[in-house]
Amino acid sequence: MATDYDAPRKNDDDVAEDSIEELKSRRNDSGSANVDDDENEAAEAYESAAILLSKVDVDRFPRNATDSRRRETLTLIEQLRAICEQPYSHQLLEYTQILSILNHALAQAYDLELYQDAITLSGTVRLLAGRFASNTENLLTLYNNLAVVYQFAGYLDVAITLYEDNLKRSSDLHGAEHFETLYQHCNLLYAYRTAGRLDEAITQSIQLIKVGTKVLGADHRLVLTIRNNLASCYKLAGQLDRAINE
């Protein structure tokens, strides 16, 4: 039997929301007889909600089930935004699963062009980053994904600041010649080009190509991407001869 992906259903997001709402109700119950029991139950509810949210997977829907994927992604964004907006939910941010859940939501939002919805998660990202400052590797991905949706939402200044900060994080963590640092720098240069900051994009691209070629080889995909971006910068700057040579 074919699955009706658009049929109403009670999914993992709904169950997670129920867990959070039950927790809120329990906290507001002044008639509770045992504070310790309530706190234990609250901790269990938080953990259950985090686990249920981590099971939300937009990719369980076929690529052509766009409406279902959009609805699922929007629901996930709403739940993650609520964690930031509702102080009683902040304890959920202590669970490492939330990092991957948030990255999943941002990546899916980008894929579905839900840029304006995705940038509403910036507050949740900041709260989460404060709790997992030592988990730098995952934070690199998180901030990069946030920068991407800001860029495609049209907020280039915000995106560029996020990219610049992330480049510094990666350089401090891995060093200037690590692949992750080169990748972050490539994203920044694309944003520079989009913002019309061509002089910076051209100057830094030339240097980055030299480093990338030394570390990865001239035919590596990332190096070729940087070259293409440089050629586009030359073209936009009216330097067609140099664009052709690239």
Side-chain angles (χ1 to χ4, degrees), residues 56-68:
V56 176
D57 184 9
V58 179
D59 288 330
R60 74 173 184 268
F61 297 108
R63 295 289 298 176
N64 61 356
T66 305
D67 289 343
S68 295

Side-chain angles (χ1 to χ4, degrees), residues 99-111:
L99 268 172
S100 59
I101 296 167
L102 194 48
N103 269 321
H104 180 65
L106 290 170
Q108 293 298 332
Y110 167 76
D111 188 50

Side-chain angles (χ1 to χ4, degrees), residues 151 156 160 186-202 205 225-237:
Q151 179 176 344
L156 277 171
I160 286 172
C186 179
N187 288 344
L188 171 61
L189 296 179
Y190 178 76
Y192 279 165
R193 189 195 84 187
T194 305
R197 295 169 59 170
L198 299 179
D199 288 343
E200 292 168 279
I202 289 171
S205 291
T225 298
I226 300 166
R227 284 192 177 277
N228 286 336
N229 188 56
L230 176 58
S232 296
C233 289
Y234 279 139
K235 183 177 180 181
L236 289 170

Side-chain angles (χ1 to χ4, degrees), residues 41-55:
E41 290 177 9
E44 291 175 2
Y46 282 127
E47 185 173 6
S48 296
I51 291 171
L52 289 168
L53 277 173
S54 70
K55 292 180 180 179

Side-chain angles (χ1 to χ4, degrees), residues 143-157:
Y143 276 115
N144 183 75
N145 287 340
L146 184 63
V148 168
V149 293
Y150 264 110
Q151 179 176 344
F152 282 85
Y155 300 99
L156 277 171
D157 288 345

Side-chain angles (χ1 to χ4, degrees), residues 99-196:
L99 268 172
S100 59
I101 296 167
L102 194 48
N103 269 321
H104 180 65
L106 290 170
Q108 293 298 332
Y110 167 76
D111 188 50
L112 294 164
E113 300 183 4
L114 298 171
Y115 311 129
Q116 295 291 342
D117 298 284
I119 64 177
T120 65
L121 292 175
S122 59
T124 309
V125 170
R126 287 193 297 271
L127 280 175
L128 195 61
R131 284 166 168 75
F132 291 99
S134 61
N135 197 338
T136 315
E137 197 67 58
N138 281 329
L139 289 180
L140 286 174
T141 303
L142 187 61
Y143 276 115
N144 183 75
N145 287 340
L146 184 63
V148 168
V149 293
Y150 264 110
Q151 179 176 344
F152 282 85
Y155 300 99
L156 277 171
D157 288 345
V158 178
I160 286 172
T161 298
L162 288 168
Y163 283 133
E164 289 174 337
D165 290 344
N166 226 26
L167 176 58
K168 185 179 185 306
R169 286 188 194 94
S170 184
S171 183
D172 290 345
L173 178 65
H174 296 300
E177 297 186 353
H178 190 275
F179 174 82
E180 181 65 32
T181 305
L182 300 178
Y183 172 75
Q184 295 295 336
H185 203 165
C186 179
N187 288 344
L188 171 61
L189 296 179
Y190 178 76
Y192 279 165
R193 189 195 84 187
T194 305

